Amino acid sequence: MATLNRSNAPFERLIGASAPDATGIVHLGIGQFHRAHAAVNTALAMAEAGGDWGIVGVANRSRRIIDPMIDQDYLYTILQLSPEGTDVQLVDVHRRLFVAAEQPADVLAAIADPQHRIVTLTITEKGYNADGVTGNLMLESPEIAPGLAGPDAAKAPLAQLAWGLVRRAQQSQAPITVLSCDNMQSAGETTARMVLQFLQAARVDAKVLDYVTNQVSFPNAMVDRIVPGTNEQTKAQVEQILGLRDESPVPAEAFTMWVLEDHFAAGRPAWQAAPGVTFSDEVEQYELVKLRLLNGSHSLISYLGGLSNSPTIPSARDKEFVARSVHAAIYNEYLPSIDPLPQGFDPDAYIDQLFHRWQNHALGDKTARVGSDGSAKLLQRIVEPALRMLAMGQMPHQMALTAASWIACVAPPTGFDPGPVAAEMEEPQRENLAKATAGAKDIHEHVEKIMTGGFFPAELGERAEFTGRIAELVEIITTDGVEAAASDALGE
Ligand code: CS2
């Protein structure tokens, strides 16, 4: 079977336009989500209004995604999967691809190059290295600390971004936009704060700080599209439809949404031309909607799913007890925490659509994908809404269940085996969680050591009633099972 390349590609399936050779965007963290989201929207924008918006894609360490793309003349396909049908689309917007770990100097040079006017980021929540307790950049962490010594020692994307901006300040002072496309509250502001804290700690001179403060914009944005990993089945499906082999296709749902602040220091693609893209002054409210109603519930589905042996999100969501818990989480806890809602936003329609999206068996999103990195994700998803309810004297039972099922999956008490789906979840704090809980005399102490062990802000960790409720639920999970815990959390 021939492999996709520029001479055999089905250009009748091209989404939007091909990029010109000139690049205007540097993307750090090229992976599945960027390729199905910002890349697609940029192709659609260029079809409408042109522009030199080819993308330089930088992978952090792995060649897994970029090698096939390079072999395929930078082309790849999106396999759009939904209950309504399957579609394959061709994307052609990347013009240079490389790995930061192999060519660190090129990352800095690309950011400094004045022809580049936007740096987009998908470096995951943990890539911002914000401390779970203080929210400040973790200057002592093994990712960040070495990079403070200078650009040559910077390995983490955030550190490379910061040194790239230093280089730009020294060379041209051309304005630029840094656009976070990760699931974070006040994503732009958070990125700016992390970059500035890094630069201050690295003792760069005041002119550089001035440049970053005044010439670099960091718009907030809410991003949304469910994009699982690629597997052999994805490749086989594409092959069947195209009669060509794509070694790096991206499966994705049909739904897509991007809400951005229109605050670009040096221009931007005509993204508003893409369906699903909105420029708004209410981005932070949209971020809350997405982070809580979608992502917060997603975490709950994944941990309940992990503990009930559901390998995929739709198979978990199909379980009645999961659907009921999620419904309660949304209506009793998350939705009331968003005040005001964005203007014109219809919560019931949005929530119905969420339940429908989670039921996408054709897409088959993995439970373990969503359950991974919970220590970083839960900080964005449950802390503030839980604190809000506790302050009102109410118990956020479903958020306690989210935390309890996360603990049972990735930091199980001695003697409890959460099963194979949970074992597949990647958790950067797994070892630290095990260390923190070693020697706990019972489940209550186990949970207490986690809640006050530097993984969550002290404000939440010190809420004894919340810790107590989580411990009760972990106890039920380990004795009577997750379904019994869910029903307890529903007050049944
Ligand atoms: C998921 C997200 O990884 C996760 O925890 O909740 O990746 C989710 O699929 C996307 O944010 C959807 O836009």
Tab-separated table of all heavy atoms in Angstrom, residues 33 125 183 223-227 253 290 294-296 298-299 357 365 369-372 377 381, ligand 1:
chain	number	residue	atom	x	y	z
A	33	PHE	N	-3.728	17.026	19.697
A	33	PHE	CA	-4.724	18.085	19.837
A	33	PHE	C	-4.446	19.255	18.890
A	33	PHE	O	-5.326	19.724	18.171
A	33	PHE	CB	-4.809	18.571	21.294
A	33	PHE	CG	-5.886	19.600	21.453
A	33	PHE	CD1	-7.222	19.220	21.408
A	33	PHE	CD2	-5.570	20.939	21.583
A	33	PHE	CE1	-8.232	20.177	21.504
A	33	PHE	CE2	-6.572	21.893	21.682
A	33	PHE	CZ	-7.906	21.509	21.643
A	125	GLU	N	-1.256	20.646	30.988
A	125	GLU	CA	-1.367	21.396	32.246
A	125	GLU	C	-0.062	21.316	33.038
A	125	GLU	O	0.407	22.308	33.601
A	125	GLU	CB	-2.497	20.824	33.115
A	125	GLU	CG	-3.908	20.992	32.548
A	125	GLU	CD	-4.356	19.822	31.669
A	125	GLU	OE1	-3.506	19.148	31.048
A	125	GLU	OE2	-5.577	19.594	31.592
A	183	ASN	N	-5.803	23.366	28.609
A	183	ASN	CA	-7.008	23.483	29.437
A	183	ASN	C	-6.672	24.100	30.787
A	183	ASN	O	-6.463	23.392	31.764
A	183	ASN	CB	-7.614	22.103	29.679
A	183	ASN	CG	-8.275	21.553	28.439
A	183	ASN	OD1	-8.997	22.264	27.751
A	183	ASN	ND2	-8.022	20.291	28.152
A	223	VAL	N	-10.178	26.141	24.605
A	223	VAL	CA	-10.048	25.237	23.448
A	223	VAL	C	-10.908	23.994	23.688
A	223	VAL	O	-11.056	23.551	24.829
A	223	VAL	CB	-8.582	24.781	23.249
A	223	VAL	CG1	-7.701	25.945	22.854
A	223	VAL	CG2	-8.015	24.094	24.487
A	224	ASP	N	-11.459	23.440	22.620
A	224	ASP	CA	-12.261	22.226	22.808
A	224	ASP	C	-12.361	21.389	21.543
A	224	ASP	O	-12.796	21.872	20.500
A	224	ASP	CB	-13.679	22.609	23.282
A	224	ASP	CG	-14.461	21.409	23.791
A	224	ASP	OD1	-13.884	20.315	23.894
A	224	ASP	OD2	-15.663	21.583	24.096
A	225	ARG	N	-11.956	20.167	21.632
A	225	ARG	CA	-12.238	19.096	20.665
A	225	ARG	C	-11.706	17.810	21.293
A	225	ARG	O	-10.562	17.804	21.757
A	225	ARG	CB	-11.546	19.359	19.327
A	225	ARG	CG	-12.007	18.378	18.249
A	225	ARG	CD	-11.516	18.741	16.861
A	225	ARG	NE	-12.227	17.956	15.863
A	225	ARG	CZ	-11.998	17.987	14.557
A	225	ARG	NH1	-11.064	18.797	14.082
A	225	ARG	NH2	-12.682	17.229	13.727
A	226	ILE	N	-12.482	16.780	21.325
A	226	ILE	CA	-12.005	15.520	21.913
A	226	ILE	C	-11.172	14.780	20.874
A	226	ILE	O	-11.659	14.478	19.780
A	226	ILE	CB	-13.175	14.670	22.443
A	226	ILE	CG1	-13.892	15.438	23.575
A	226	ILE	CG2	-12.658	13.316	22.951
A	226	ILE	CD1	-15.106	14.732	24.158
A	227	VAL	N	-9.908	14.574	21.227
A	227	VAL	CA	-8.941	14.012	20.279
A	227	VAL	C	-8.144	12.900	20.966
A	227	VAL	O	-7.211	13.176	21.722
A	227	VAL	CB	-7.964	15.112	19.788
A	227	VAL	CG1	-7.045	14.559	18.706
A	227	VAL	CG2	-8.715	16.334	19.273
A	253	GLU	N	-13.376	13.941	17.127
A	253	GLU	CA	-14.824	14.102	16.999
A	253	GLU	C	-15.100	15.230	16.005
A	253	GLU	O	-14.195	15.998	15.651
A	253	GLU	CB	-15.439	14.429	18.365
A	253	GLU	CG	-14.981	15.767	18.924
A	253	GLU	CD	-15.686	16.170	20.222
A	253	GLU	OE1	-16.762	15.642	20.523
A	253	GLU	OE2	-15.134	17.038	20.932
A	290	LYS	N	-15.999	25.313	30.204
A	290	LYS	CA	-15.331	24.149	29.608
A	290	LYS	C	-14.593	23.330	30.667
A	290	LYS	O	-14.715	22.104	30.739
A	290	LYS	CB	-14.369	24.662	28.525
A	290	LYS	CG	-13.259	23.720	28.105
A	290	LYS	CD	-13.762	22.617	27.229
A	290	LYS	CE	-12.838	21.450	26.973
A	290	LYS	NZ	-11.431	21.591	26.920
A	294	LEU	N	-17.204	20.299	31.154
A	294	LEU	CA	-16.636	19.214	30.339
A	294	LEU	C	-15.495	18.513	31.066
A	294	LEU	O	-15.562	17.333	31.391
A	294	LEU	CB	-16.150	19.733	28.977
A	294	LEU	CG	-15.805	18.613	27.965
A	294	LEU	CD1	-15.765	19.146	26.547
A	294	LEU	CD2	-14.530	17.854	28.228
A	295	ASN	N	-14.416	19.266	31.354
A	295	ASN	CA	-13.215	18.583	31.851
A	295	ASN	C	-13.409	17.999	33.252
A	295	ASN	O	-12.950	16.889	33.538
A	295	ASN	CB	-12.003	19.519	31.825
A	295	ASN	CG	-11.607	19.946	30.417
A	295	ASN	OD1	-11.610	21.138	30.107
A	295	ASN	ND2	-11.264	19.010	29.562
A	296	GLY	N	-14.066	18.756	34.136
A	296	GLY	CA	-14.280	18.247	35.497
A	296	GLY	C	-15.096	16.955	35.445
A	296	GLY	O	-14.765	15.950	36.088
A	298	HIS	N	-15.395	15.016	32.877
A	298	HIS	CA	-14.575	14.030	32.163
A	298	HIS	C	-13.684	13.271	33.151
A	298	HIS	O	-13.537	12.049	33.065
A	298	HIS	CB	-13.702	14.783	31.149
A	298	HIS	CG	-13.636	14.157	29.799
A	298	HIS	ND1	-12.818	14.657	28.818
A	298	HIS	CD2	-14.246	13.087	29.249
A	298	HIS	CE1	-12.954	13.916	27.728
A	298	HIS	NE2	-13.814	12.962	27.965
A	299	SER	N	-13.084	14.012	34.081
A	299	SER	CA	-12.236	13.359	35.089
A	299	SER	C	-13.069	12.377	35.905
A	299	SER	O	-12.649	11.239	36.154
A	299	SER	CB	-11.610	14.396	36.032
A	299	SER	OG	-10.684	15.193	35.327
A	357	ARG	N	-21.581	13.789	23.296
A	357	ARG	CA	-20.172	13.692	22.879
A	357	ARG	C	-19.450	12.578	23.636
A	357	ARG	O	-18.598	11.897	23.081
A	357	ARG	CB	-19.466	15.043	23.100
A	357	ARG	CG	-19.949	16.143	22.170
A	357	ARG	CD	-19.399	17.505	22.573
A	357	ARG	NE	-17.952	17.588	22.433
A	357	ARG	CZ	-17.205	18.550	22.982
A	357	ARG	NH1	-17.766	19.504	23.719
A	357	ARG	NH2	-15.905	18.549	22.803
A	365	ASP	N	-12.645	7.135	22.793
A	365	ASP	CA	-11.617	7.796	23.614
A	365	ASP	C	-11.290	6.922	24.831
A	365	ASP	O	-12.166	6.383	25.485
A	365	ASP	CB	-12.170	9.154	24.054
A	365	ASP	CG	-11.111	10.072	24.602
A	365	ASP	OD1	-9.910	9.775	24.464
A	365	ASP	OD2	-11.504	11.120	25.173
A	369	ARG	N	-6.498	7.795	28.980
A	369	ARG	CA	-5.996	9.084	28.480
A	369	ARG	C	-6.545	10.218	29.357
A	369	ARG	O	-5.800	11.064	29.849
A	369	ARG	CB	-6.430	9.319	27.019
A	369	ARG	CG	-5.943	10.667	26.470
A	369	ARG	CD	-6.571	11.023	25.114
A	369	ARG	NE	-7.934	11.516	25.211
A	369	ARG	CZ	-8.270	12.776	25.496
A	369	ARG	NH1	-7.343	13.691	25.711
A	369	ARG	NH2	-9.540	13.135	25.577
A	370	VAL	N	-7.852	10.193	29.580
A	370	VAL	CA	-8.463	11.291	30.346
A	370	VAL	C	-8.024	11.208	31.811
A	370	VAL	O	-7.819	12.227	32.472
A	370	VAL	CB	-9.997	11.251	30.211
A	370	VAL	CG1	-10.639	12.363	31.021
A	370	VAL	CG2	-10.407	11.352	28.741
A	371	GLY	N	-7.835	9.986	32.317
A	371	GLY	CA	-7.447	9.826	33.718
A	371	GLY	C	-5.979	10.138	33.991
A	371	GLY	O	-5.570	10.200	35.157
A	372	SER	N	-5.191	10.346	32.937
A	372	SER	CA	-3.763	10.620	33.149
A	372	SER	C	-3.532	12.051	33.623
A	372	SER	O	-4.327	12.942	33.334
A	372	SER	CB	-2.988	10.386	31.841
A	372	SER	OG	-2.981	9.003	31.556
A	377	LYS	N	-4.460	18.120	36.471
A	377	LYS	CA	-5.774	18.488	35.920
A	377	LYS	C	-6.780	18.851	37.014
A	377	LYS	O	-7.547	19.806	36.877
A	377	LYS	CB	-6.334	17.332	35.089
A	377	LYS	CG	-5.583	17.084	33.779
A	377	LYS	CD	-6.118	15.814	33.108
A	377	LYS	CE	-5.446	15.539	31.772
A	377	LYS	NZ	-5.876	14.226	31.217
A	381	ARG	N	-9.698	21.853	37.846
A	381	ARG	CA	-11.095	21.460	37.669
A	381	ARG	C	-11.926	21.499	38.950
A	381	ARG	O	-13.074	21.913	38.910
A	381	ARG	CB	-11.139	20.052	37.035
A	381	ARG	CG	-10.385	20.040	35.711
A	381	ARG	CD	-10.312	18.694	35.012
A	381	ARG	NE	-9.494	18.830	33.801
A	381	ARG	CZ	-9.325	17.911	32.865
A	381	ARG	NH1	-9.926	16.746	32.989
A	381	ARG	NH2	-8.568	18.139	31.813
B	1	CS2	C1	-9.727	15.650	28.750
B	1	CS2	C2	-9.417	16.624	27.637
B	1	CS2	O1	-7.474	14.983	28.959
B	1	CS2	C3	-8.489	15.302	29.564
B	1	CS2	O2	-8.577	15.292	30.782
B	1	CS2	O3	-10.713	16.149	29.581
B	1	CS2	O4	-8.307	16.242	26.882
B	1	CS2	C4	-10.633	16.816	26.723
B	1	CS2	O5	-10.827	15.693	25.906
B	1	CS2	C5	-10.451	18.035	25.882
B	1	CS2	O6	-10.210	19.130	26.708
B	1	CS2	C6	-11.666	18.268	25.003
B	1	CS2	O7	-11.571	19.513	24.450
